[in-house]
Amino acid sequence: MNLLATPQPPHHHHPNPRLSPSHSMSSYSPVGSASRKRKAEDDEPQAEDRMSSSPSNSPASSTRSLPAYRHVKRPRSGPVGRPLALPRLLETLDADSLRGVLQSLCSRHPGIGSEVEHTAPRPSVLSALSVLKNYESALQASFPFGGDSSSDYAYNRVRESLMALLDALADFTPHFLPPNETQASQSLTFLDGATDIIHRLPDWSSFQNSLHKQNAYEEISGAWALAIREAAKRAGGMHLQYGGWNQKLAKHNQQANGKLQDAVNELSANIGWMGGQPQPQQHGSRGDDLNSVRQELLAGTYGINLPVRVGPW
């Protein structure tokens, strides 16, 4: 049998694993090694290229999402409804609404009420009289049209407004009396305006309904007497002498049909020695003597006619 022999490659084409070290070292070429090194470096992507390359070129970019803060824009905030701040809210409240809010807070929190009393400015005579006149206007507006304005029917229609005015008078009057009010002029000025309001209170045909006005006269007369006594103690009673209060009070007493006589007597007793109305006395002419002494003191003639003692006292 003839066997076909496979042709073998030439001997020099097969590497000889048993080459000697000298032969191996001699076959190494520095030039070829350097060429292969440069080629490998050229084939390897540079670091800058790797860093600058977009991740979209990566095969997995379609299945991987970037962080939200890099590719999602924050939406701009549009107008949003919100309640008014407290200062703006207070600007919209009128006097009655603001008063209602304060009264509600003070009733629920007594500490706030005490703080308001110490913080609020002191009411003036003009502001107090203005409040009283508002109550008076409400009283006049509550009268029914036509008919007898002094009848019981009219009284029942205006009773609520009448009581509101009288209560306000009873509350404001002590505020302007000593010792709470230290200025005599403020006390007398308020009493003058308050008495005018009492004069304008309606007169009723029923005696029972008329008691409200009589009681108001009695209370204001006592207030006048207290204010006059305290005014006489300050600055020698100059407010009583030069304020024309004797004429004003006499006119008030006339309009009240003598219901302020106690106040008139108190004023006469305190300004009698100043040269005003003489003080009525029960023991001779002592009031005239005091007035005469005052006139001599003012004229500088007191003691001229008195005998002068000479010698040891």
Side-chain angles (χ1 to χ4, degrees), residues 49-68:
D49 296 338
R50 292 194 306 269
M51 295 180 63
S52 62
S53 61
S54 173
S56 62
N57 297 329
S58 175
S61 61
S62 61
T63 60
R64 185 177 65 234
S65 61
L66 295 176

Side-chain angles (χ1 to χ4, degrees), residues 21 45 84 88 107 121 135 143 151 164 182 191 201 221 225 251 284 298:
L84 280 174
R88 294 301 184 192
S107 61
Y135 281 107
F143 271 92
S151 64
T182 58
L191 294 176
L201 289 176
S221 179
K251 182 179 179 181
L298 295 177

Side-chain angles (χ1 to χ4, degrees), residues 152-288:
D152 292 344
Y153 171 75
Y155 171 81
N156 292 330
R157 289 285 301 272
V158 304
R159 186 179 184 279
E160 182 177 356
S161 299
L162 177 62
M163 292 298 103
L165 174 57
L166 294 175
D167 290 342
L169 272 170
D171 291 336
F172 277 107
T173 300
H175 175 79
F176 290 98
L177 294 179
N180 188 64
E181 178 58 64
T182 58
Q183 298 184 19
S185 60
Q186 296 292 310
S187 299
L188 298 174
T189 302
F190 172 80
L191 294 176
D192 185 33
T195 306
D196 284 332
I197 294 177
I198 296 176
H199 292 326
R200 295 192 293 267
L201 289 176
D203 296 318
W204 307 103
S205 57
S206 171
F207 173 80
Q208 185 69 25
N209 297 338
S210 300
L211 289 177
H212 299 300
K213 190 171 184 178
Q214 295 181 14
N215 294 336
Y217 274 129
E218 292 180 3
E219 293 178 0
I220 206 69
S221 179
W224 273 103
L226 175 60
I228 290 169
R229 285 193 299 268
E230 293 299 323
K233 300 177 183 178
R234 302 177 184 276
M238 302 299 290
H239 292 293
L240 299 176
Q241 182 180 7
Y242 296 104
W245 293 108
N246 52 345
Q247 292 88 357
K248 293 179 181 180
L249 188 56
K251 182 179 179 181
H252 283 312
N253 187 42
Q254 182 180 2
Q255 290 182 260
N257 297 323
K259 295 182 176 63
L260 301 181
Q261 189 61 43
D262 292 342
V264 172
N265 294 339
E266 188 69 34
L267 183 62
S268 300
N270 283 278
I271 68 173
W273 67 274
M274 299 178 187
Q277 293 179 349
Q279 176 182 358
Q281 298 290 337
Q282 298 179 356
H283 304 285
S285 60
R286 178 175 175 80
D288 296 337

